[in-house]
Amino acid sequence: SAVISQKPSRDICQRGTSLTIQCQVDSQVTMMFWYRQQPGQSLTLIATANQGSEATYESGFVIDKFPISRPNLTFSTLTVSNMSPEDSSIYLCSGYLAGGPKVETQYFGPGTRLLVL
Amino acid sequence: GENVEQHPSTLSVQEGDSAVIKCTYSDSASNYFPWYKQELGKRPQLIIDIRSNVGEKKDQRIAVTLNKTAKHFSLHITETQPEDSAVYFCAASINNFNKFYFGSGTKLNVKP
């Protein structure tokens, strides 16, 4: 299995500022992803973090707003830029690990709870 | 892209009863279907999964069935216990299992 940690666990930010969330995996996962989860809602995929190249964004999410880096196989960052209250959410990273206990699956980080005032 | 629909949104059962959660998907190329359990304030945890070449899979009190023709899959929990209370998400994956699309979630409440 893979153990995934995120920093910070939570933050309160002022509108117009940016926050960078870090995701660290203890295994060399094949893929890393970033999701957003509004309270009481499902998980929405923001983007796939590609090692050494630009992330692949889902419809409705753009690089200028959510720049993502993945310098190596075990680390990724997501920046929420020029924040507004609508960005208040839980942001989760995940790692897809082939050959895990469930053969191939995604493991999730604990999430970063963001509140924008 | 893939569209996954899940129902019911909430489900309340008596301890010991069975619970069934159903999902449908739109893309026939989807080939991997995991189920996640998320307790309040915690991360989603994989509880069971099924591949498109299998019709049913069971793990103790939980089972998943898949109907590829109808493009739907279901989670079955038998002998429910209060600790089964959580939000359950289904997901579908195409492109070799990596990108997941999640259902809207089912909040299961098991009453003691």
Side-chain angles (χ1 to χ4, degrees):
Chain A
S1 64
V3 175
I4 302 179
S5 60
Q6 283 183 236
K7 289 194 299 185
S9 59
R10 59 179 62 226
D11 208 342
I12 300 173
C13 301
Q14 296 297 320
R15 69 172 67 206
T17 62
S18 297
L19 176 72
T20 295
I21 303 168
Q22 299 180 6
C23 178
Q24 180 73 53
V25 189
D26 70 344
S27 308
Q28 291 189 347
V29 292
T30 310
M31 311 282 286
M32 291 183 76
F33 304 92
W34 287 96
Y35 290 86
R36 184 169 71 183
Q37 185 176 31
Q38 306 282 6
Q41 302 295 316
S42 186
L43 291 86
T44 301
L45 181 63
I46 297 172
T48 303
N50 301 310
Q51 186 205 355
S53 64
E54 193 171 288
T56 304
Y57 290 84
E58 296 298 305
S59 176
F61 297 96
V62 295
I63 187 172
D64 290 345
K65 177 66 177 178
F66 297 102
I68 289 170
S69 77
R70 189 182 173 193
N72 56 53
L73 288 174
T74 64
F75 184 78
S76 179
T77 66
L78 167 75
T79 299
V80 186
S81 303
N82 188 25
M83 289 183 285
S84 66
E86 292 71 38
D87 294 320
S88 298
S89 188
I90 299 170
Y91 292 85
L92 298 109
C93 70
S94 73
Y96 163 68
L97 183 65
K102 299 291 185 180
V103 183
E104 291 153 332
T105 194
Q106 280 195 32
Y107 297 91
F108 284 89
T112 296
R113 189 178 296 268
L114 172 62
L115 176 62
V116 184
L117 302 176
Chain B
E2 173 66 281
N3 181 43
V4 179
E5 295 188 354
Q6 181 174 349
H7 58 93
S9 57
T10 60
L11 179 60
S12 188
V13 300
Q14 206 67 41
E15 182 178 0
D17 289 349
S18 295
V20 180
I21 302 170
K22 299 182 179 182
C23 288
T24 61
Y25 60 99
S26 60
D27 195 328
S28 57
S30 290
N31 54 11
Y32 176 64
F33 307 92
W35 285 87
Y36 285 83
K37 176 183 180 182
Q38 187 176 31
E39 297 176 343
L40 188 63
K42 297 189 176 180
R43 74 189 78 190
Q45 298 271 15
L46 179 75
I47 56 171
I48 196 167
D49 55 8
I50 192 167
R51 295 193 189 198
S52 59
N53 59 349
V54 176
E56 184 174 357
K57 184 176 179 181
K58 189 173 181 180
D59 184 0
Q60 299 182 351
R61 294 187 298 108
I62 59 174
V64 57
T65 58
L66 171 65
N67 183 328
K68 283 195 302 181
T69 303
K71 289 191 277 193
H72 67 71
F73 56 111
S74 301
L75 177 71
H76 304 254
I77 305 174
T78 58
E79 300 172 26
T80 53
Q81 301 167 2
E83 50 265 38
D84 293 329
S85 296
V87 178
Y88 291 80
F89 293 100
C90 63
S93 176
I94 56 178
N95 297 332
N96 296 319
F97 307 99
N98 45 55
K99 187 187 290 190
F100 289 6
Y101 294 93
F102 283 83
S104 54
T106 297
K107 184 175 183 180
L108 174 64
N109 179 35
V110 180
K111 296 177 287 186

